[in-house]
Amino acid sequence: MKILVTGAAGFIGSYMVKALAAQGNEVVGLDIINSYYDVRLKYDRLADTGIAKEQIVENGMVQSSVYPSYRFVKMDLTDRVNLTRLFETERFDVVVNLAAQAGVRYSIENPYAYIESNVVGFVNLLECCRHYPVRHLVYASSSSIYGLNEKVPYAETDKTDSPVSLYAATKKSNELMAHAYSKLYHIPTTGVRFFTVYGPWGRPDMAPFLFMKAILNGEPIKVFNHGEMQRDFTYIDDIVEGVMNIITHPSTESLPFRIYNIGNSAPVELMNFISVIENTAGKKAVKEMMGMQPGDVVCTYADTTRLEKDFGYKPSTSIEEGIGKFYEWYTKYFQA
């Protein structure tokens, strides 16, 4: 298959590229490489997939030196002209959209970045999939769309019309737009609601990275809601395996639209999570207790029954194992 992976310089995207290319698929990676966080990490992820920074030019295709079947293009999803040209030239079988302006708290500071990337960019992709038909569009949604939903664990059938951040609202809009395009143009679409993904090459704005960095450096960590929080931390390999299962099985229903949770279905108390990092790093955290952050939720907890029923798959990496692997990567990466 020929597969487009957007967000290929991102955390999940770089893993998907490697998994798909290793299977022998023809893969095209796309990313704008914005500066939401340190671009050096993004370029290093690209280098890990065989894409050299010095070869990257705007809208130019770069061949991987590691995977013969992988190429990368630096492109903005809001650039309709070049995106359309890419679809017209390449004729993709599958699109995996992992490009998005991420981060709940940043959406309060810079709302326009979220509308441009997550809404305008997504409708551009939908239009390309409409005019240059694909077998399957798989796209990243988020556990944040459950918002003020008090029922746990979160099931795909729960109401998701009470977002508490603009980021969550844009992810909800993706699902609504995908539903419309599935209905109107019979495009098979599958939205994947990720639950707090972590692991090697992870995002530096996420709690595992922030806590590990601070604890190792003897700096204070901010513990929001005074530690009264739970997160359904999901290890990156579990996420990739779940998405790989989904990619090859588009819906065959008359309305080919589906949604899946991918989470560990085992929420971890924030204070316990900090203890795991402390034990792994061999250092105690300096805790700065804080109130609740705007746009945040107290608990995330995935019901993965649908994923298990359809694919016989359930994420299973324990927080101890996952943090251990993250620690190994972190210490090696920052000593290099």
Side-chain angles (χ1 to χ4, degrees):
M1 291 190 296
K2 182 182 280 191
I3 303 173
L4 173 67
V5 178
T6 71
F11 176 29
I12 303 172
S14 62
Y15 273 85
M16 285 306 307
V17 162
K18 287 185 278 190
L20 291 166
Q23 280 191 348
N25 295 293
E26 186 177 350
V27 182
V28 174
L30 178 153
D31 204 295
I32 188 56
I33 318 177
N34 70 17
S35 57
Y36 167 59
Y37 57 79
D38 193 342
V39 295
R40 288 176 295 182
L41 182 59
K42 298 184 180 185
Y43 281 116
D44 286 343
R45 291 190 192 119
L46 287 171
D48 193 52
T49 61
I51 304 298
K53 178 182 177 181
E54 56 271 15
Q55 291 183 298
I56 298 172
V57 293
E58 200 85 18
N59 301 317
M61 200 69 77
V62 180
Q63 173 63 51
S64 168
S65 61
V66 175
Y67 300 103
S69 63
Y70 176 49
R71 293 170 295 147
F72 173 80
V73 59
K74 182 182 179 185
M75 186 179 291
D76 192 336
L77 288 181
T78 64
D79 182 350
R80 276 192 295 171
V81 173
N82 279 302
L83 187 65
T84 302
R85 189 175 295 134
L86 179 70
F87 271 75
E88 183 180 20
T89 302
E90 298 293 340
R91 305 286 173 158
F92 300 109
D93 297 307
V94 173
V95 174
V96 182
N97 180 42
L98 300 169
Q101 178 57 61
V104 169
R105 291 162 195 151
Y106 186 62
S107 67
I108 295 169
E109 301 168 26
N110 191 358
Y112 294 106
Y114 289 76
I115 300 302
E116 289 162 9
S117 178
N118 301 5
V119 179
V120 176
F122 190 67
V123 79
N124 287 346
L125 270 180
L126 286 169
E127 276 293 287
C128 285
C129 291
R130 170 192 172 192
H131 292 292
Y132 304 96
V134 298
R135 297 183 206 167
H136 200 184
L137 166 61
V138 180
Y139 60 96
S141 187
S142 169
S143 62
S144 66
I145 74 162
Y146 289 106
L148 294 175
N149 182 14
E150 294 181 356
K151 171 188 160 290
V152 290
Y154 300 151
E156 294 91 343
T157 51
D158 291 345
K159 286 187 176 182
T160 54
D161 53 5
S162 302
V164 293
S165 70
L166 182 64
Y167 170 71
T170 63
K171 287 300 186 177
K172 175 63 176 178
S173 75
N174 287 174
E175 294 184 3
L176 294 172
M177 289 190 287
H179 186 279
Y181 273 71
S182 289
K183 176 64 176 175
L184 288 169
Y185 310 113
H186 206 69
I187 301 169
T189 68
T190 303
V192 186
R193 295 173 179 169
F194 296 137
F195 281 70
T196 318
V197 190
Y198 74 102
W201 297 105
R203 276 173 35 205
D205 62 320
M206 297 282 283
F209 202 112
L210 291 169
F211 288 178
M212 183 69 74
K213 179 182 178 182
I215 289 171
L216 288 173
N217 293 339
E219 299 167 352
I221 62 172
K222 293 181 178 180
V223 182
F224 293 108
N225 203 35
H226 303 280
E228 295 295 319
M229 300 179 78
Q230 292 180 313
R231 286 292 179 269
D232 200 347
F233 292 103
T234 314
Y235 189 66
I236 183 63
D237 289 353
D238 288 336
I239 291 286
V240 171
E241 188 174 347
V243 176
M244 292 289 281
N245 276 315
I246 290 167
I247 284 173
T248 52
H249 294 88
S251 173
T252 56
E253 300 292 321
S254 57
L255 174 56
F257 168 86
R258 293 183 308 184
I259 298 290
Y260 288 102
N261 287 334
I262 300 188
N264 217 36
S265 202
V268 178
E269 296 280 353
L270 185 57
M271 298 306 288
N272 291 343
F273 177 67
I274 293 169
S275 294
V276 171
I277 297 179
E278 289 175 324
N279 293 336
T280 304
K283 296 185 73 173
K284 283 290 183 184
V286 180
K287 303 179 189 74
E288 186 179 337
M289 309 308 279
M290 310 281 287
M292 193 68 169
Q293 283 273 286
D296 230 338
V297 295
V298 174
C299 175
T300 63
Y301 183 179
D303 180 338
T304 56
T305 304
R306 183 178 290 183
L307 190 70
E308 294 173 58
K309 177 177 175 290
D310 289 357
F311 303 106
Y313 175 70
K314 177 181 171 63
S316 58
T317 305
S318 71
I319 196 71
E320 290 80 9
E321 181 185 353
I323 288 296
K325 291 179 179 178
F326 176 62
Y327 172 76
E328 288 176 18
W329 169 81
Y330 185 96
T331 51
K332 183 178 179 181
Y333 179 76
F334 285 99
Q335 285 174 358

